[in-house]
Amino acid sequence: LGGRTHSFVDEASGNIVDNGQHLMMGCYRETRSYLKTIGSEQLAPLQHALHIDFLDPLKGPASLQASSFPAPFHVLTGLMQLTNLSLSNRLRLLRVGRELLWSSKEKERLLDTMTVDGWLTSLGQSTENKSYLWDTIAIGSLNDHPNSVSALLFFRVLRAAFMGTREDSCLLIPRTGLSSLLVDPAVKYIADHKGEIRTNTRIQVMRTEDNRIESVRTMAGRHFEATSYVLAVPYFDLPSLLPDKFELTHLDHFTSTPIVSINLWFDRKVFDGEFSAVLNSDIQWIFNRSQICPSPNKSGNGTQHLSLVISGAAAYIDLEKDRIVEIALNDLRRVIPAVNAAKLVRSLVIKEKRATFSPKPGMETMRPDCRTKYGNLFLAGDWTNTGLPATIEGAVLSGRTAAKAALNS
């Protein structure tokens, strides 16, 4: 349960490990509503104000700290404090902020034909501005490289995060594993409300009648009937579940992009912060799991557990795990000097080969709505037409949209 958002206990260390580290934002309204419904919102507290530390092996550390000004000036003034960028480059950042002030259907259609990199270039963003800030946000939210993904979704991400309330730009940092945050409380909620979950129950065929789904038959030969049906699976699993002679157009245009997570355990504390973005390196984020998600037992005492992330990881996904660990350690040594004196006592590399769909330019018109040609069959998934990238927020929104449609069918 949980799909691409689950966690487990690493037996060797006793630590909770996520299949992929996630950051969420205050603008994730559907996600926050979901967490409140299932009773786990306190496990992902919101920052008081946006704060992100940057580690750069070339220029040293820096921080983005939102000011006390009202939105959106709280972020704009924070950007002006990024002293690792020249004053002229910081002023260039404001050009992007100006573009976020307004939107229209015509503007969105144009943005959907452009890549993130092309759009930023058109706004006069320097190579330093891209690598220092915009690329970090783009790769983290769209999970692919700025020269290949849609400027439209990046534009929407920036507007949602920075042009709303002060709270919208703040980060939510899970203080527990993803299963404890998103999955286990939902399972309990469903059971408490007389629902039932069946795992290891593979659907073999969906029977149709008069443009409606009549029943489903499992591989074990059992039949289930329902008023409505929701298929909440990745796009690449959908064809095997759809009724005969029902094909979704454009599915062949979807491609996946991977994420690699590297969990490292050191024999001593090497990193003081909770998390940091890493610039000019292969790894993009460092999360101090020992601090934000401490071990529930004592077996992890005396070590520090760091989780590192490489999104848009096509160049790394086929490398041997030992090689990936070597790359991560080399990056860490450049930005965290204490790593040089520490001993690596354990490593665990997790590869999500098809972590998300890649939102190429033009993909927005190809993402299907939740409704299908069958009146009681609906689609959910972060790849459907949510208007968002493949994020937790997009997944939750798609589920809510499909549920509402099913109730009204």
Side-chain angles (χ1 to χ4, degrees):
L1 298 175
R4 286 165 293 148
T5 53
H6 71 269
S7 54
F8 58 92
V9 176
D10 175 57
E11 293 184 1
S13 65
N15 293 132
I16 299 171
V17 174
D18 290 334
N19 71 316
Q21 182 73 48
H22 287 266
L23 274 176
M24 295 175 283
M25 300 195 74
C27 59
Y28 280 25
R29 290 187 172 84
E30 292 290 341
T31 303
R32 296 175 68 188
S33 175
Y34 169 73
L35 295 178
K36 185 175 182 179
T37 297
I38 64 176
S40 62
E41 61 178 334
Q42 75 283 356
L43 298 177
L46 190 69
Q47 288 179 324
H48 295 298
L50 173 65
H51 181 94
I52 302 175
D53 291 324
F54 296 91
L55 296 177
D56 187 339
L58 304 178
K59 297 184 178 181
S63 296
L64 171 59
Q65 174 68 57
S67 72
S68 59
F69 288 110
F73 302 104
H74 68 309
V75 174
L76 296 178
T77 52
L79 294 175
M80 291 299 99
Q81 304 304 313
L82 288 174
T83 53
N84 277 3
L85 293 174
S86 67
L87 178 58
S88 62
N89 274 331
R90 280 177 275 162
L91 292 174
R92 287 171 184 261
L93 296 175
L94 299 182
R95 299 181 188 180
V96 177
R98 184 179 59 198
E99 280 296 305
L100 301 178
L101 292 173
W102 65 278
S103 183
S104 68
K105 290 183 178 180
E106 181 180 356
K107 183 175 185 176
E108 290 209 339
R109 281 193 294 268
L110 176 61
L111 288 172
D112 195 34
T113 68
M114 304 174 70
T115 65
V116 169
D117 189 71
W119 179 59
L120 292 172
T121 298
S122 74
L123 296 178
Q125 298 306 294
S126 65
T127 300
E128 291 80 6
N129 283 9
K130 293 176 186 177
S131 63
Y132 204 88
L133 182 66
W134 303 128
D135 289 358
T136 299
I137 300 173
I139 295 173
S141 59
L142 305 184
N143 191 32
D144 213 339
H145 290 277
N147 59 7
S148 66
V149 291
S150 167
L152 172 59
L153 292 186
F154 186 59
F155 173 78
R156 288 175 177 169
V157 166
L158 294 179
R159 273 181 60 86
F162 301 144
M163 304 308 291
T165 66
R166 286 178 51 82
E167 192 174 88
D168 286 342
S169 64
C170 296
L171 299 176
L172 285 87
I173 303 140
R175 301 292 174 175
T176 186
L178 292 175
S179 291
S180 297
L181 178 70
L182 297 163
V183 184
D184 299 340
V187 172
K188 182 179 185 303
Y189 181 92
I190 290 170
D192 290 346
H193 289 77
K194 304 186 187 307
E196 184 178 354
I197 296 174
R198 294 174 183 255
T199 57
N200 301 314
T201 307
R202 184 175 177 84
I203 300 300
Q204 183 181 48
V205 66
M206 306 185 82
R207 297 182 58 191
T208 63
E209 184 175 326
D210 298 330
N211 288 324
R212 292 181 69 83
I213 305 300
E214 182 186 76
S215 65
V216 297
R217 186 176 73 226
T218 70
M219 296 292 286
R222 297 194 64 185
H223 288 263
F224 292 91
E225 296 181 0
T227 303
S228 300
Y229 301 80
V230 177
L231 290 177
V233 297
Y235 70 90
F236 46 80
D237 282 335
L238 193 64
S240 66
L241 294 173
L242 290 172
D244 291 340
K245 299 180 181 179
F246 176 37
E247 295 183 0
L248 279 176
T249 58
H250 305 311
L251 275 187
D252 57 339
H253 288 83
F254 281 79
T255 57
S256 295
T257 181
I259 296 176
V260 173
S261 299
I262 308 108
N263 291 271
L264 303 177
W265 285 264
F266 294 96
D267 65 346
R268 68 195 71 181
K269 186 176 182 179
V270 297
F271 180 59
D272 290 323
E274 287 193 339
F275 66 95
S276 289
V278 188
L279 309 176
N280 294 304
S281 67
D282 293 278
I283 61 171
Q284 297 146 1
W285 292 91
I286 302 171
F287 294 89
N288 184 352
R289 297 286 294 184
S290 293
Q291 184 169 335
I292 63 178
C293 185
S295 172
N297 54 48
K298 297 181 180 180
S299 61
N301 284 357
T303 64
Q304 185 172 39
H305 174 200
L306 302 182
S307 177
L308 319 176
V309 178
I310 305 176
S311 297
Y316 307 87
I317 197 70
D318 293 326
L319 296 180
E320 294 292 331
K321 292 185 176 181
D322 286 348
R323 175 56 182 149
I324 293 174
V325 170
E326 181 184 0
I327 289 170
L329 283 172
N330 287 338
D331 281 343
L332 283 182
R333 292 186 182 109
R334 295 170 67 209
V335 294
I336 306 176
V339 172
N340 291 286
K343 178 183 178 181
L344 181 69
V345 297
R346 175 164 171 72
S347 65
L348 177 64
V349 176
I350 300 174
K351 298 179 178 181
E352 289 282 355
K353 291 190 175 183
R354 295 194 286 189
T356 69
F357 82 97
S358 181
K360 308 292 186 185
M363 285 298 297
E364 278 301 276
T365 60
M366 302 180 190
R367 299 171 71 178
D369 292 327
C370 73
R371 296 183 182 275
T372 71
K373 72 175 188 178
Y374 295 98
N376 64 337
L377 177 64
F378 307 93
L379 303 179
D382 57 18
W383 59 278
T384 60
N385 188 21
T386 65
L388 300 173
T391 57
I392 289 177
E393 176 72 355
V396 176
L397 175 60
S398 75
R400 184 74 60 89
T401 301
K404 288 180 179 178
L407 286 173
N408 294 325
S409 65

